Amino acid sequence: MNIIEATGIEKVYNPNKIAVHALNGVDLTIEQGEFTAIVGPSGSGKTTLLNIIGGLDHPTAGSVKVEGTDISTLNDNQLIDFRKEHIGFVFQAYNLIPVLTAKENVEFVMLLQKRSQQERETRSMELLRAVGLEDQVNKRPSQLSGGQQQRVAVARALAPKPTFVMADEPTANLDSKSTANLLDIMARLNKEENITFLFSTHDQRVIDRARRVVTLVDGRIETDETKF
Amino acid sequence: MIFKIAWRNIWRSRTRSIVVILAVMIGIWAVIFMLSFSNGMIESYIDNAIENQISHIQLHNPDFKKDQESQYFIENASGLEDDLRSQVEVESATVRSLATGMLTTSKGQRGVQIRGVQPTSEASVTKLDQKLVEGEYFDPETDNRILVGKSLSEELNLKIRSKVVLAFQSLDGEIIYAAFRVIGMYETDNNAYDESNVFVTQQDLNRLLGKENIGHEAAILLHSLDEIDPVQSRLTESRPDLLVENYAEISPEIELFNTQMQMSSTIIIVIVMLALIFGIINTMLMAVLERYKELGMLMAVGMNKVRVFFMIVLETLMLGLIALPLGMGLGYGTVSYLSKYGLDLSTYSEGMQEFGMSEIVYPTVNSGLYIQLGLAVLITALLGSIYPAFKAIRLRPVEAMRKV
């Protein structure tokens, strides 16, 4: 079942001045349970495509449907609500809330979703256990290593039970051990719980673990390979 | 959790938050102190005016008020005084005779208001006997004795037992010259008053004016300011032949002074609050700008604009709410201490006494000010938070997160 259908995506920055065409008619579909990496050289449009699919940016042309909803037509407030319910985010620089503990960070989006305290409590502990941080729940981000912070970010992304998790260069700031550890966790969650992951990455280690690799060059999909 | 985030956020930059809390706290303290100080000055001025000159209520022959001429007197002064004293609200009352004249000594002369008083009742109304700094009060057995102001005595080189001549018009229009001997010198907190008023006994003055048992001015001291209106109304009704006025009507400059002090206090509050608003805007703007990326992330993961706005407003309100009790406590402590021990302004006493104020000011503040100030600080914090909060919600997550 297709959960993401991006059709004819174009993105032009500075259309009235010196126009920069970041995406030139990208068509992409993602099915439930995929573990997909979007790769390509710097400036190829990976992050732009991810931002548009993740509802953080509007395309200049084309449409993005997530579970049948055309998010390219939603306004900013509707997009915020949509992201809250459907999309989990993992950012390159972790971007946890520095004044909250690991557990509170994981609970945060569930709180925005108005989930009950008991549900928040149970799910955040489950997720932190799943990413191997059950003994770090009361630590703030500044007390955790980069790898641990990114694992908290993965737990936070999964907390709202999103349609898919979007990860923008998730391993860019991590050492090899932390990268391997993080990829193991995400691969396990993908396999065991059928969670859909969509990455943008330069990292060969991530590319090696992805089951589908979409290569972007100059804002166009050059190759789209699925490994078996 | 937004409360928790907001609370923890304000302690992320501890020094900056402490500085803004201190600024708000000092602003609140300054407002309380300035207002209580000006209240104290106003009260000192009014109290002095009431105690030394005006009392709470005065009665005059209506024509006397127009021309200040002795011929416009009140008949049966002793009867009036007894009548006034019988009112329950009246603490004390006296009836004086007045004449405008010239005081002459070997050194020079000076225009003065001659106040013919009944020693006992005058002392109970104006405490004239306690204001003597030299000499003694009136002795009912001796005639033609005079009390002069200390500053007038210095100006005219008068000593105890010096002889002075008073010249004034009698009731039948004759100019009277009468010799008096100085028996005492008084000093109030109003130099201008001391230089232009002399006291003799009413018996002496009436005899020289040419009519017994008359007066020109009845002065009433009440137990409380709240009783002025009912007593004034009652007297106006019972004595339609007399002009009954309260202290504010007799001395409109008191009300003017009061209004001016209140206006300047209001202006000072507005200036302090404006300064605080800009201080708060500056602090919160910095807090927003350095958290651009984080705010972008919050919106990316689903925190809507209303919540982001509310969080920034909440952080600002929290800063204000921490500073508010501290500033109020400091202000309350300062005012409590000074209202008990007074603020000694003797360095400026000469200038203050020219305006009829005591050299020791006892600041006072009414409890309503704390409520008004609390509201003012909350409004200030709200106003100060609006621009930074708008700045925060105008962020686009995708752009904010790109910022380093």
Side-chain angles (χ1 to χ4, degrees):
Chain A
M1 185 186 84
N2 289 342
I3 55 167
I4 300 170
E5 291 175 21
T7 314
I9 302 294
E10 289 182 18
K11 181 68 182 178
V12 183
Y13 292 110
N14 298 327
N16 300 323
K17 296 177 185 172
I18 303 165
V20 176
H21 292 262
L23 294 172
N24 296 300
V26 172
D27 296 319
L28 181 69
T29 56
I30 304 285
E31 288 185 13
Q32 174 74 41
E34 281 195 16
F35 200 70
T36 303
I38 297 173
V39 302
S42 290
S44 60
K46 304 184 296 291
T47 299
T48 304
L49 178 60
L50 225 57
N51 285 340
I52 290 171
I53 290 173
L56 292 171
D57 206 355
H58 292 279
T60 310
S63 72
V64 178
K65 286 184 180 172
V66 176
E67 287 192 317
T69 303
D70 187 352
I71 64 170
S72 49
T73 61
L74 301 180
N75 64 31
D76 284 351
N77 288 328
Q78 290 168 324
L79 272 177
I80 288 175
D81 281 340
F82 189 85
R83 290 195 299 262
K84 180 178 72 189
E85 301 297 336
H86 294 275
I87 306 170
F89 291 90
V90 178
F91 303 102
Q92 179 179 334
Y94 330 131
N95 287 12
L96 298 173
I97 302 169
V99 294
L100 297 183
T101 63
K103 182 166 164 286
E104 288 166 341
N105 263 287
V106 177
E107 281 185 60
F108 180 70
V109 186
M110 289 189 280
L111 190 94
L112 297 177
Q113 290 179 313
K114 299 190 173 125
R115 302 275 180 89
S116 71
Q117 190 182 348
Q118 194 187 347
E119 189 183 353
R120 294 199 311 261
E121 179 84 22
T122 312
R123 185 156 175 77
S124 59
M125 286 309 296
E126 269 173 19
L127 289 167
L128 284 167
R129 205 172 294 119
V131 297
L133 289 174
E134 63 271 28
D135 53 347
Q136 310 286 336
V137 291
N138 291 321
K139 288 192 176 167
R140 291 196 186 182
S142 59
Q143 298 168 300
L144 299 171
S145 69
Q148 288 173 322
Q149 286 186 59
Q150 199 61 307
R151 281 190 272 156
V152 174
V154 170
R156 179 183 66 184
L158 294 171
K161 297 183 179 168
T163 307
F164 69 96
V165 173
M166 187 192 107
D168 186 13
E169 309 261 9
T171 57
N173 292 350
L174 301 183
D175 58 29
S176 304
K177 194 178 165 192
S178 299
T179 299
N181 188 257
L182 184 77
L183 288 171
D184 285 343
I185 288 166
M186 291 198 286
R188 179 167 50 78
L189 289 166
N190 170 254
K191 193 175 175 185
E192 292 174 2
E193 299 187 26
N194 202 30
I195 293 166
T196 310
F197 282 89
L198 182 61
F199 307 94
S200 75
T201 187
H202 279 113
D203 191 335
Q204 192 56 46
R205 293 165 299 186
V206 180
I207 298 168
D208 291 344
R209 299 286 291 269
R211 290 209 304 278
R212 180 181 173 193
V213 177
V214 177
T215 307
L216 278 181
V217 176
D218 295 336
R220 286 193 177 84
I221 293 177
E222 192 171 81
T223 61
D224 186 348
E225 299 170 59
T226 303
K227 303 173 192 171
F228 294 97
Chain B
M1 194 173 285
I2 289 181
F3 280 88
K4 194 186 276 183
I5 295 175
W7 174 254
R8 290 181 186 171
N9 273 339
I10 63 177
W11 300 114
R12 281 165 76 168
S13 182
R14 198 174 288 267
T15 310
R16 189 173 61 209
S17 293
I18 288 173
V19 166
V20 79
I21 287 168
L22 282 176
V24 176
M25 186 182 101
I26 290 168
I28 294 166
W29 172 82
V31 168
I32 292 174
F33 177 73
M34 280 188 288
L35 283 182
S36 65
F37 182 70
S38 78
N39 274 350
M41 297 253 287
I42 292 167
E43 282 186 13
S44 157
Y45 181 76
I46 293 174
D47 287 349
N48 280 335
I50 289 172
E51 192 180 314
N52 296 331
Q53 308 166 45
I54 305 167
S55 307
H56 289 125
I57 293 176
Q58 287 187 2
L59 294 86
H60 297 92
N61 180 323
D63 294 324
F64 180 82
K65 284 293 281 186
K66 286 180 202 157
D67 301 323
Q68 298 279 321
E69 286 189 19
S70 303
Q71 57 181 303
Y72 302 118
F73 51 79
I74 303 168
E75 298 269 14
N76 188 17
S78 57
L80 175 63
E81 191 173 307
D82 291 343
D83 183 33
L84 295 176
R85 280 213 190 116
S86 67
Q87 317 259 345
V88 283
E89 299 93 340
V90 174
E91 187 181 313
S92 53
T94 190
V95 179
R96 310 173 183 116
S97 296
L98 302 172
T100 306
M102 191 67 77
L103 180 144
T104 308
T105 69
S106 54
K107 183 95 188 281
Q109 53 187 20
R110 183 79 193 238
V112 289
Q113 172 87 280
I114 305 159
R115 306 174 84 84
V117 300
Q118 298 180 46
T120 313
S121 61
E122 185 68 30
S124 69
V125 174
T126 59
K127 299 186 179 61
L128 179 62
D129 55 337
Q130 292 173 26
K131 293 187 173 67
L132 291 184
V133 289
E134 220 174 304
E136 57 193 30
Y137 198 53
F138 293 114
D139 174 0
E141 303 301 317
T142 49
D143 293 343
N144 285 23
R145 297 291 184 259
I146 187 168
L147 301 176
V148 296
K150 178 77 178 162
S151 45
L152 180 66
S153 71
E154 284 165 0
E155 203 176 303
L156 296 175
N157 198 23
L158 292 171
K159 304 271 184 289
I160 298 296
R161 298 196 57 74
S162 292
K163 198 179 265 186
V164 300
V165 172
L166 291 177
F168 54 93
Q169 210 170 22
S170 69
L171 294 179
D172 55 14
E174 293 288 317
I175 299 295
I176 305 291
Y177 294 91
F180 284 79
R181 195 171 291 282
V182 175
I183 55 160
M185 290 155 195
Y186 71 90
E187 189 172 24
T188 68
D189 291 325
N190 187 337
N191 282 347
Y193 180 84
D194 296 354
E195 282 171 11
S196 57
N197 286 273
V198 296
F199 292 86
V200 299
T201 65
Q202 189 175 36
Q203 194 182 344
D204 288 343
L205 186 56
N206 282 354
R207 190 183 68 243
L208 293 164
L209 284 169
K211 195 168 173 69
E212 293 300 313
N213 199 22
I214 60 162
H216 297 95
E217 180 175 280
I220 304 169
L221 202 60
L222 300 171
H223 293 293
S224 133
L225 284 173
D226 301 333
E227 292 163 341
I228 291 177
D229 287 344
V231 173
Q232 186 181 7
S233 308
R234 201 163 61 231
L235 289 173
T236 307
E237 215 168 282
S238 65
R239 292 301 302 259
D241 57 321
L242 297 178
L243 180 65
V244 184
E245 294 172 297
N246 64 38
Y247 72 90
E249 290 163 336
I250 297 159
S251 249
E253 72 274 9
I254 289 181
E255 198 52 38
L256 179 69
F257 178 69
N258 196 356
T259 312
Q260 279 181 336
M261 290 294 263
Q262 281 174 354
M263 271 175 60
S264 15
S265 302
T266 309
I267 290 167
I268 288 168
I269 292 175
V270 170
I271 291 170
V272 170
M273 291 298 157
L274 272 177
L276 289 184
I277 283 183
F278 285 105
I280 289 169
I281 289 175
N282 182 44
T283 302
M284 291 314 296
L285 211 49
M286 281 173 69
V288 166
L289 292 177
E290 72 185 15
R291 277 157 53 200
Y292 247 41
K293 204 168 181 175
E294 185 182 318
L295 292 167
M297 177 274 294
L298 289 173
M299 286 197 264
V301 299
M303 189 166 176
N304 63 32
K305 292 182 177 185
V306 175
R307 281 196 164 112
V308 172
F309 189 92
F310 181 61
M311 184 177 76
I312 302 294
V313 170
L314 202 58
E315 286 177 26
T316 320
L317 281 178
M318 281 175 173
L319 287 173
L321 287 172
I322 295 168
L324 190 61
L326 294 174
M328 280 189 175
L330 191 62
Y332 179 79
T334 309
V335 174
S336 298
Y337 178 83
L338 291 176
S339 64
K340 191 173 176 187
Y341 297 104
L343 188 61
D344 189 352
L345 298 175
S346 48
T347 318
Y348 315 101
S349 64
E350 199 174 326
M352 290 182 69
Q353 284 184 6
E354 289 294 333
F355 288 96
M357 281 178 268
S358 307
E359 60 187 34
I360 296 180
V361 173
Y362 294 91
T364 58
V365 65
N366 62 38
S367 52
L369 173 73
Y370 291 104
I371 297 167
Q372 289 170 2
L373 203 53
L375 288 172
V377 169
L378 291 182
I379 292 168
T380 303
L382 272 176
L383 291 175
S385 68
I386 287 173
Y387 178 64
F390 268 115
K391 189 103 179 150
I393 61 167
R394 279 208 304 266
L395 287 175
R396 293 190 63 229
V398 69
E399 286 164 9
M401 290 173 65
R402 261 191 230 127
K403 290 189 187 293
V404 178

